[in-house]
Amino acid sequence: MIRRLLLLATLVAVVAPSTASAAFQRIDGSPIDVYVGDSGRLQARYDGQTAGEFFPSSSDEANAGFSLGTDLGQSPTLYGYAGAGFTPVTQTPVTGSGAAADPFQVVTVYSAPVSSQSQQQPPGRISVRQVVTYVNGQSAFRVRTELTSTGQTNVTFRPQMGADLTPGGSDSGFGYLAGGAPARTVGGFNPSSSGAALIGEVTPWRSYQAEHYTTVNTALRDLAGNGLTNAVSGVFVDIGTGAQWPDVTLCGCGTSTAAYEADWRFTRFAGLSLEPENAERAVGDTHTLTVKSQSPEGGPGGGSTIHYTVNGSNSTTGSVVTGPDGSAAISYTGANAGNDFITAFADLNGDGTQSSGEPAATAQVEWIAPIPGSTVALTPVRGTVLVKLPRGASPIAAGFRGAKARKAQAGGFVPLSQVASVPVKSQIDVARGEVRLTSAANLQGLVQHSNFYSGRFQVLQQPSRRPITELRMTGGSFRSCRVSKRSSANDPDALAAASRGKRVRRLWGNGKGRFRTRGRYSSATVRGTTWLVQDHCGGTLTRVARSPRTNRVVVRDFARKRNVTVRAGRSYFARPRAR
């Protein structure tokens, strides 16, 4: 008769799990609060949040906690949130200070009946002592569960931990498994809510599962079978999780015990990010974004496949895989002016398309194109780059705002912090910096680039079929210069003496395209190389880099009215006309 009643109670409990008791203790911690029901049910909430990490998120005692399968092999019954309720016995108030050496603690004792294998012996009980501890500053709490059998015969039990999850307050998520035994982590995460709720292994498990909560609950109730299946969902579902320890047999001697420990861990993670979120680039440049993936445990999301799409003026698609630090570079070249919108997502299920719940991030870039004979694009590379607009130019059109715009309007030099479209005749000071200059190479939209540094210049360009961009060196003073008595540019001694004389100004260039650097006594026209033009009191020096050997520069000697080709590793010194 007793066995029939127990079996009937078990069937009713499986169909309709018992509701939570009204008695519980709250650990008021930081950054999470932990709720412990007197029958073992649990809840956790971040400070300032009304939604909890377990379902129902509004309840202080949710469908989460320790479960116990009893009487395996006879009339198995599941006790806990997924089955029949435990019987409350005692519960202490919260003790401890929350420090690592003195954590908050709640001790709860509850019990469940077990059958007797002999009709002559009365049924026994299993006593469960649960100790919940929490240390301030952590996003995790520990649960230690101790079992003691009080029957007169040996009984086999199945200890389990599980929950219907609401990570970040959301009822859906992906399954998650990380690490190896005996330090695995299993649970669920939701990239949209940036939340994860996970079980951390302390006492080694036999099995685990993270799938739809009804699937997990069914496996927890499978006391006649193997229970949890080690399956982890790769799709976005109403997520639940569980972990099982090996079945244990306790004797009915009143002193046979077993203990199990596990951590409940919670995180807030970024999921996926793209940096920079907003940028401006010159047409023809390569734009690089850094995509960062974060794991549900808050660490680097290494090995994640990231698909990206560029829509707009320079449409393209591609994919990258994050490295051990969780980041990867996305690069592409903008051939057309206008705006691009970049979308990236982590392909968690590997199907190549963005499925529900997969984390995503967006960014935007504006491509600025130079206008032949009218504007050039400047991109600061390093150091200090200063720009002075020509009289009458609009600072707003050049991208200057606020104090910078007022200073530019007054005719002063303005620091350049990002790419800007400036009119020709602007002056650029890179004495302590470097700038990348992008100018029109023809009238059909082709552009050319070169970097300039260690000098100051005015940029000029006339509209034509194949325009030359001229960098006219400015700054410095020739007032202190003495007129040299030597006048022959072919005299090696004169060249050496002049090149060692006082330097007035200089400008380095490095790039490809039709650029011309103009000094006081000569100009240097290049197609692509690294070159120096340097004004001295006694003339203008042009020097060409040694590598590659194909480097060459055409120097126009103003005094001699002739062109001189200077090859790699050579230099030429143009002197003024002799008086």
Side-chain angles (χ1 to χ4, degrees):
M1 183 65 178
I2 294 175
R3 183 171 297 176
R4 289 181 180 179
L5 291 175
L6 288 174
L7 180 59
L8 178 60
T10 299
L11 294 174
V12 172
V14 170
V15 174
S18 63
T19 58
S21 65
F24 66 91
Q25 292 292 330
R26 175 194 175 198
I27 298 176
D28 186 4
S30 177
I32 62 172
D33 296 342
V34 182
Y35 299 79
V36 184
D38 64 357
S39 63
R41 290 174 178 254
L42 303 171
Q43 181 62 280
R45 288 192 181 89
Y46 274 87
D47 290 343
Q49 302 295 313
T50 58
E53 301 297 307
F54 304 130
F55 182 87
S57 61
S58 59
S59 174
D60 295 332
E61 295 179 81
N63 295 331
F66 183 76
S67 293
L68 186 66
T70 68
D71 298 323
L72 303 187
Q74 301 182 71
S75 301
T77 305
L78 181 66
Y79 291 92
Y81 77 92
F86 285 111
T87 300
V89 178
T90 62
Q91 186 174 56
T92 69
V94 179
T95 61
S97 64
D102 184 30
F104 291 126
Q105 178 175 286
V106 174
V107 178
T108 306
V109 177
Y110 43 88
S111 66
V114 293
S115 300
S116 172
Q117 296 180 3
S118 171
Q119 293 183 355
Q120 286 74 33
Q121 295 175 342
R125 297 195 72 81
I126 185 76
S127 176
V128 183
R129 182 177 183 269
Q130 174 183 276
V131 182
V132 175
T133 55
Y134 174 72
V135 176
N136 269 331
Q138 297 183 358
S139 296
F141 65 89
R142 176 159 294 190
V143 180
R144 176 180 172 85
T145 307
E146 303 165 355
L147 308 181
T148 303
S149 176
T150 62
Q152 297 182 11
T153 58
N154 297 343
V155 181
T156 302
F157 303 98
R158 178 170 297 173
Q160 308 175 130
M161 184 72 74
D164 184 357
L165 304 177
T166 53
S170 173
D171 200 24
S172 299
F174 292 93
Y176 179 77
L177 175 69
R184 292 168 291 189
T185 303
V186 69
F189 69 100
N190 186 314
S192 300
S193 64
S194 302
L198 312 164
I199 308 175
E201 184 176 26
V202 180
T203 303
W205 302 330
R206 182 186 72 175
S207 55
Y208 56 83
Q209 197 164 342
E211 292 188 293
H212 195 288
Y213 86 95
T214 56
T215 305
V216 174
N217 281 4
T218 299
L220 289 172
R221 296 183 185 124
D222 182 23
L223 301 177
N226 293 322
L228 299 180
T229 65
N230 292 344
V232 177
S233 174
V235 296
F236 203 60
V237 295
D238 190 345
I239 192 71
T241 192
Q244 286 180 334
W245 290 280
D247 294 350
V248 59
T249 299
L250 298 180
C251 71
C253 52
T255 59
S256 182
T257 62
Y260 308 91
E261 287 189 88
D263 290 332
W264 277 107
R265 304 172 184 174
F266 313 96
T267 62
R268 293 290 184 263
F269 64 101
L272 202 70
S273 64
L274 273 177
E275 298 176 355
E277 293 184 2
N278 294 280
E280 293 179 335
R281 294 290 183 267
V283 167
D285 280 351
T286 297
H287 181 48
T288 299
L289 302 101
T290 300
V291 58
K292 293 183 179 179
S293 176
Q294 199 174 38
S295 77
E297 294 183 83
S304 299
T305 299
I306 311 297
H307 295 283
Y308 65 89
T309 301
V310 179
N311 291 312
S313 301
N314 303 278
S315 297
T316 187
T317 60
S319 63
V320 293
V321 177
T322 58
D325 64 348
S327 68
I330 297 174
S331 297
Y332 74 101
T333 300
N336 306 305
N339 291 303
D340 285 340
F341 300 91
I342 304 100
T343 300
F345 72 92
D347 191 6
L348 299 180
N349 58 13
D351 65 356
T353 60
Q354 186 177 2
S355 304
S356 176
E358 289 181 329
T362 60
Q364 181 177 350
V365 57
E366 179 183 0
W367 295 95
I368 299 174
I371 302 174
S374 179
T375 64
V376 297
L378 301 177
T379 305
V381 177
R382 61 176 175 84
T384 301
V385 178
L386 304 173
V387 179
K388 181 179 180 180
L389 302 180
R391 181 172 298 180
S394 169
I396 302 300
F400 298 127
R401 301 289 187 273
K404 287 186 177 182
R406 291 191 293 272
K407 187 173 183 179
Q409 188 71 43
F413 277 91
V414 179
L416 190 68
S417 57
Q418 60 184 16
V419 65
S421 177
V422 302
V424 298
K425 298 185 180 179
S426 295
Q427 294 187 51
I428 297 95
D429 186 342
V430 285
R432 294 179 177 82
E434 182 176 352
V435 70
R436 179 173 173 84
L437 189 149
T438 302
S439 61
N442 60 22
L443 301 179
Q444 286 73 48
L446 186 66
V447 297
Q448 56 191 5
H449 310 277
S450 187
N451 286 23
F452 296 95
Y453 50 96
S454 299
R456 180 171 150 182
F457 62 92
Q458 183 182 41
V459 59
L460 304 170
Q461 189 186 59
Q462 294 293 329
S464 64
R465 187 175 64 86
R466 299 182 66 194
I468 293 178
T469 303
E470 182 172 288
L471 301 311
R472 182 170 295 179
M473 291 197 301
T474 60
S477 175
F478 289 88
R479 292 181 181 179
S480 61
C481 291
R482 296 180 180 178
V483 177
S484 174
K485 295 180 179 180
R486 293 171 179 163
S487 59
S488 174
N490 294 323
D491 184 350
D493 294 334
L495 174 60
S499 63
R500 290 194 299 268
K502 182 179 179 181
R503 186 186 73 207
V504 178
R505 58 195 176 193
R506 66 177 177 176
L507 183 66
W508 280 96
N510 178 14
K512 294 183 179 180
R514 295 171 61 83
F515 292 95
R516 180 167 61 211
T517 306
R518 185 183 181 94
R520 191 175 194 186
Y521 302 111
S522 68
S523 64
T525 302
V526 303
R527 295 293 180 85
T529 184
T530 299
W531 76 102
L532 167 70
V533 175
Q534 191 165 272
D535 273 340
H536 291 255
C537 287
T540 299
L541 175 69
T542 301
R543 182 179 297 153
V544 183
R546 293 180 180 273
S547 179
R549 298 299 299 174
T550 56
N551 281 350
R552 63 183 61 189
V553 169
V554 176
V555 175
R556 178 65 178 179
D557 189 321
F558 298 151
R560 300 177 65 187
K561 297 182 180 179
R562 58 172 292 186
N563 293 339
V564 179
T565 299
V566 183
R567 300 182 183 276
R570 303 296 181 88
S571 60
Y572 179 83
F573 194 81
R575 299 182 58 82
R577 183 182 296 276
R579 296 183 178 179

